[in-house]
Amino acid sequence: MGNAKKARQKRIKFAQIKKMISPKDNRLKENAKKEEIKAIKEKEKETRRIKQTPSALFFQYNTSLGPPYFVIVDTNFINFSIKNKLDMAKSMMDCLLAKATPCITDCVIAELEKLGSKYRIALRLAKDERFQRLKCSHKGTYADDCIMERIEQHRCYIVATCDKELRRRIRKVPGVPIMYLSNRRYTIERMPEAFGAPAV
């Protein structure tokens, strides 16, 4: 009686093991391939959203830019201008050979306030009456993202920055000129009509 019970238990155990499929089984790979093909087909069905190019752009040339120019100023541009003892409004006019209004966002002011007493001169300069204040409605106070968001919405600004990373990001947006410091002077890229800018 005992032997028969043992034999039956062995058969049940053997049957249970037999039911399991090896993880290297071909059938599982085929199922995975089918799922991948199905996912690719679903992605193809999804509608692609392409950003609309502004009507002011003629290829890479921005027709909405014209005097008086509005220049969005970044935190480090103010600091470098102070270090090089440059009057921002006058130097911008010398570079562009036209009236230029420096604009400053709330995020740049907040960034300067966070930097502390070391940058109090830059903060005082940023709060000057000649600077036009641009209100920010978004969350957070990261100035680079704020500037990028603004220039993507409105292509009527020149961006003044010495930050290489931000300049790299702006170059991806067509029709937005970049102003920066070079040899103690302001220079501008991607703007052919700026005759006052030194040749780079």
Side-chain angles (χ1 to χ4, degrees), residues 43-184:
K43 268 190 177 180
E44 284 173 0
K45 283 180 184 177
E46 286 176 12
T47 53
R48 292 193 309 148
R49 302 224 178 265
I50 299 166
K51 283 184 180 178
Q52 189 179 358
T53 53
S55 57
L57 285 179
F58 179 74
F59 295 104
Q60 293 284 315
Y61 181 74
N62 192 351
T63 55
S64 66
L65 276 172
Y69 296 105
F70 293 95
V71 185
I72 295 178
V73 182
D74 190 25
T75 315
N76 54 21
F77 189 81
I78 298 169
N79 294 334
F80 277 106
S81 296
I82 292 165
K83 276 182 187 175
N84 291 303
K85 296 175 183 175
L86 292 168
D87 179 21
M88 284 181 72
K90 188 180 179 295
S91 299
M92 279 179 188
M93 284 175 76
D94 290 345
C95 178
L96 296 164
L97 296 179
K99 191 182 180 217
T101 309
C103 304
I104 198 151
T105 62
D106 290 342
C107 293
V108 174
I109 296 280
E111 211 172 77
L112 284 166
E113 284 171 352
K114 278 181 189 174
L115 289 169
S117 60
K118 192 180 176 183
Y119 296 94
R120 64 181 182 277
I121 299 163
L123 183 63
R124 198 183 307 154
L125 180 65
K127 288 181 177 176
D128 191 2
E129 290 174 4
R130 293 178 295 175
F131 281 62
Q132 187 180 324
R133 277 292 283 274
L134 301 171
K135 300 285 177 200
C136 295
S137 57
H138 59 85
K139 289 179 180 177
T141 57
Y142 186 53
D144 290 10
D145 289 343
C146 171
I147 290 167
M148 282 302 298
E149 191 182 305
R150 199 170 284 273
I151 62 167
E152 280 170 2
Q153 285 174 355
H154 315 286
R155 304 279 171 97
C156 59
Y157 295 109
I158 296 168
V159 181
T161 183
C162 295
D163 185 7
K164 284 182 181 176
E165 182 60 31
L166 181 59
R167 273 161 61 185
R168 189 184 58 77
R169 283 173 71 187
I170 294 165
R171 283 189 193 108
K172 291 177 184 174
V173 183
V176 181
I178 307 163
M179 188 181 279
Y180 59 95
L181 260 116
S182 175
N183 299 327
R184 292 175 174 262

